[in-house]
Amino acid sequence: MSELSFRPATLADIPAMSAIRIAVQENRLSNPARITRQMYEDYLHRLGRGWVCESDGDVIAFSYAAAEDASIWALFTEPGREGLGAGKQLLRLAVGWLFGLGHARVLLGTGANTRADRFYAAQGWARGAMRPGSGEVDYSLSNPGPLRIAPLAPAEAGALLAASDAYMLSRYPAVGSHLESAAALGRPGVSLLGAWWDGQLVGCGAVKLVQPDDGGPAYGEIKRVFLFEAWRGRGISKALMQRLELLLQIQGVTLARLETGIHQPEALALYRGLGYQPRGPFGSYVADATGVFMEKCL
């Protein structure tokens, strides 16, 4: 038996993935044209991520994870290649990515009384109700880990924002004008996320959609990424940043910017590790001795 290899899907894999999707005998599309190339492209980057399994250089199976609703958008194996373990590993990759973003559970739907129906039940997924009139059944898998990231109401973020204010003002006495208030975090165009660890709110982060007055491209400004000290070093800030970036991508925004400072080495290391590059001041910011400005193309 040829060795299987797994990797992230690319645009070049779309023809092979589409051919597999059309060839399957169960969960067939009544209208294959309904799943367009643009949808494959969107779920590769803007709306999610994809993975493929190769054997002897040929793509034999693939999976897609949808970020916004934490679902499995696709998981298919080439007919005749079932039972090799490709589906199990591709499902693990998709689920692991979604859980890594802090989702509490992952969802999917599949045809009832099919091979896929039996497969998901065997993998420990919880079988739900039938979808009325569709012949499909819902499945869910709960995140066994401690981290959950979800929208946070500004009114519930008071302790975090106060601790963030104190932390920033202790390092940058003149930074107050750059700190978004709870009221500002509740305005249209701003998304605030909370991070819960074992049910306790331990961190937050926000992104503000900005349309420059000079007609330049829209961008998202990352704001208020903060964790209580006891929960630092667990990858929570990275997960928050990735979720904030995905919120922008889902809206079609391809540029993220942020302002930080020289007295935050951990934050600087995080942003550099995520691919942010130095740039000059933007928006209403002006250059100063402690400010650091960064951006990333998404």
Side-chain angles (χ1 to χ4, degrees):
M1 182 178 68
S2 299
E3 183 177 348
L4 303 181
S5 61
F6 300 85
R7 60 171 174 79
T10 68
L11 294 177
D13 297 316
I14 291 177
M17 293 189 290
S18 180
I20 292 171
R21 180 69 183 89
I22 292 171
V24 296
Q25 299 302 305
E26 294 184 331
N27 289 308
R28 294 180 65 108
L29 291 168
S30 58
N31 177 13
R34 187 167 61 88
I35 305 298
T36 65
R37 178 182 175 87
Q38 187 61 53
M39 294 172 72
Y40 280 104
E41 293 182 8
D42 286 344
Y43 280 99
L44 268 186
H45 183 65
R46 186 172 70 84
L47 301 179
R49 294 292 185 273
W51 297 264
V52 297
C53 173
E54 290 183 314
S55 177
D56 292 330
D58 296 324
V59 173
I60 66 166
F62 71 96
S63 65
Y64 270 81
E68 187 170 21
D69 62 356
S71 68
I72 303 301
W73 184 68
L75 175 61
F76 293 99
T77 299
E78 181 182 324
R81 304 283 193 129
E82 301 93 343
L84 301 179
K88 290 181 182 179
Q89 180 59 18
L90 287 167
L91 184 61
R92 290 190 196 104
L93 289 169
V95 169
W97 183 73
L98 290 169
F99 282 166
L101 294 174
H103 287 293
R105 63 175 183 167
V106 177
L107 308 173
L108 62 84
T110 192
N113 303 314
T114 62
R115 178 193 291 267
D117 188 359
R118 297 186 292 274
F119 169 78
Y120 293 120
Q123 304 311 307
W125 287 60
R127 196 175 193 270
M130 291 285 296
R131 297 180 181 179
S134 71
E136 290 198 344
V137 61
D138 288 322
Y139 273 92
S140 65
L141 184 69
S142 296
N143 188 344
L147 177 63
R148 181 173 70 90
I149 295 175
L152 175 66
E156 299 173 353
L160 279 165
L161 297 180
S164 173
D165 288 350
Y167 174 84
M168 295 297 291
L169 290 170
S170 71
R171 285 156 177 77
Y172 314 100
V175 78
S177 62
H178 296 320
L179 297 175
E180 297 284 332
S181 66
L185 293 172
R187 292 172 183 161
V190 180
S191 298
L192 176 64
L193 298 179
W196 287 260
W197 190 274
D198 282 334
Q200 182 176 349
L201 181 62
V202 300
C204 64
V207 64
K208 178 171 65 174
L209 187 61
V210 179
Q211 182 63 64
D213 294 334
D214 62 8
Y219 63 88
E221 183 181 355
I222 305 295
K223 304 287 290 185
R224 287 293 199 171
V225 177
F226 180 78
L227 294 179
F228 288 130
E229 187 172 0
W231 281 268
R232 295 171 191 166
R234 308 186 191 200
I236 302 173
S237 292
K238 181 178 180 180
L240 271 168
M241 287 291 295
Q242 291 172 327
R243 284 288 294 275
L244 293 170
E245 291 174 354
L246 282 166
L247 288 177
L248 292 175
Q249 291 176 301
I250 288 168
Q251 298 176 78
V253 178
T254 60
L255 183 63
R257 290 176 175 167
L258 59 86
E259 181 265 345
T260 184
I262 60 174
H263 301 313
Q264 294 167 266
E266 297 86 357
L268 289 168
L270 169 68
Y271 300 141
R272 289 174 184 139
L274 289 170
Y276 284 80
Q277 301 294 322
R279 58 151 295 138
F282 58 90
S284 62
Y285 293 105
V286 295
D288 60 44
T290 60
V292 177
F293 305 94
M294 309 180 81
E295 70 178 15
K296 175 183 178 180
C297 292
L298 304 176

